Amino acid sequence: AQKVTQAQTEISVVEKEDVTLDCVYETRDTTYYLFWYKQPPSGELVFLIRRNSFDEQNEISGRYSWNFQKSTSSFNFTITASQVVDSAVYFCALNLIKAAGNKLTFGGGTRVLVKP
Amino acid sequence: DGGITQSPKYLFRKEGQNVTLSCEQNLNHDAMYWYRQDPGQGLRLIYYSQIVNDFQKGDIAEGYSVSREKKESFPLTVTSAQKNPTAFYLCASSPRGKGQAEAFFGQGTRLTVV
């Protein structure tokens, strides 16, 4: 069975500070996808980024960047120069490549509060 | 606009009643999912459907039932057998058979037992 752990339950920062969210996962499969989703107060989950287990290259997309390290089973996510609109709950999720569709395994989420 | 519509946004249920949560999508996705979210916790999979007239149990299916008679619709019934139904319910859809595809989510239904 898969497991995703987000040890940080809540992070509070002042606007323009960087925020790094930790995610550690467990799976016996060697091929999988990792995702980050954002859940604003409106409730729906919004897809942010995806990384497959074959590619450990870290990337930056706008103010978002991620650090995938297969050796430590970690998939950390950073918001650079945070803004008040970044306040939300962020979920890390895992999906096996052999799985049909999106039977995502989610972490418990990290609530981010960005203060002006 | 394409997307997923869940209704109602808030739902109140009396003890012993069955209630049905609606989920409709116009994204032409084959696969649809129901997740349950409890306060301070992640999402857990209740049921999923990869194609019309077929669905499978997720991790916490007991006390729930679904149907998939149309591609666009995947209603969830919370039965009286579900002992602790108060939660936030999210419906999602994605292309079938593509584990890398992101799922699209509705805005959720908050169910409260009164």
Side-chain angles (χ1 to χ4, degrees):
Chain A
Q2 290 67 243
K3 185 178 179 180
V4 177
T5 302
Q6 296 178 249
Q8 306 150 305
T9 55
E10 186 167 323
I11 299 176
S12 181
V13 298
V14 176
E15 204 169 18
K16 298 185 181 178
E17 289 183 342
D18 297 347
V19 180
T20 295
L21 309 180
D22 298 333
C23 173
V24 175
Y25 61 91
E26 298 175 27
T27 178
R28 291 183 179 178
D29 279 58
T30 57
T31 54
Y32 47 87
Y33 285 95
L34 293 163
F35 299 80
W36 277 97
Y37 283 86
K38 173 182 179 181
Q39 185 179 40
S42 54
E44 81 279 15
L45 268 71
V46 177
F47 166 76
L48 296 177
I49 58 173
R50 165 184 51 236
R51 174 59 62 197
N52 71 57
S53 55
F54 301 125
D55 184 2
E56 290 191 63
Q57 180 178 356
N58 297 312
E59 292 188 16
I60 298 173
S61 176
R63 295 189 298 110
Y64 299 153
S65 62
W66 50 97
N67 185 348
F68 174 39
Q69 294 195 350
K70 204 169 182 178
S71 60
T72 57
S73 298
S74 66
F75 185 50
N76 298 337
F77 174 66
T78 297
I79 305 171
T80 302
S82 61
Q83 301 174 2
V84 173
V85 294
D86 296 326
S87 297
V89 181
Y90 291 81
F91 290 97
C92 180
L94 168 77
N95 193 30
L96 302 181
I97 287 181
K98 70 181 183 184
N102 275 294
K103 292 192 292 179
L104 294 159
T105 298
F106 284 88
T110 298
R111 181 176 300 277
V112 174
L113 177 61
V114 181
K115 300 176 182 177
Chain B
D1 287 5
I4 298 180
T5 301
Q6 290 187 240
S7 61
K9 191 170 183 178
Y10 298 95
L11 187 57
F12 297 90
R13 191 194 92 168
K14 293 182 179 180
E15 296 277 356
Q17 278 185 339
N18 292 354
V19 291
T20 298
L21 283 59
S22 171
C23 178
E24 303 278 333
Q25 56 102 357
N26 59 6
L27 299 168
N28 200 33
H29 286 162
D30 286 307
M32 297 187 73
Y33 312 82
W34 274 104
Y35 289 90
R36 170 178 170 144
Q37 183 178 16
D38 292 285
Q41 298 187 32
L43 282 69
R44 293 180 290 169
L45 183 64
I46 305 172
Y47 267 97
Y48 64 101
S49 168
Q50 297 291 320
I51 198 168
V52 174
N53 293 323
D54 185 51
F55 49 83
Q56 287 79 40
K57 294 181 179 179
D59 300 320
I60 55 167
E62 185 176 351
Y64 300 98
S65 66
V66 293
S67 63
R68 188 81 188 279
E69 298 176 359
K70 298 187 301 181
K71 186 176 184 178
E72 301 79 20
S73 179
F74 191 41
L76 173 74
T77 296
V78 184
T79 75
S80 56
Q82 170 51 238
K83 298 306 179 188
N84 184 22
T86 295
F88 188 55
Y89 292 86
L90 283 158
C91 178
S93 72
S94 73
R96 180 167 65 102
K98 294 186 182 298
Q100 76 275 20
E102 65 267 26
F104 291 78
F105 286 81
Q107 291 201 331
T109 293
R110 191 168 299 279
L111 174 63
T112 303
V113 173
V114 296

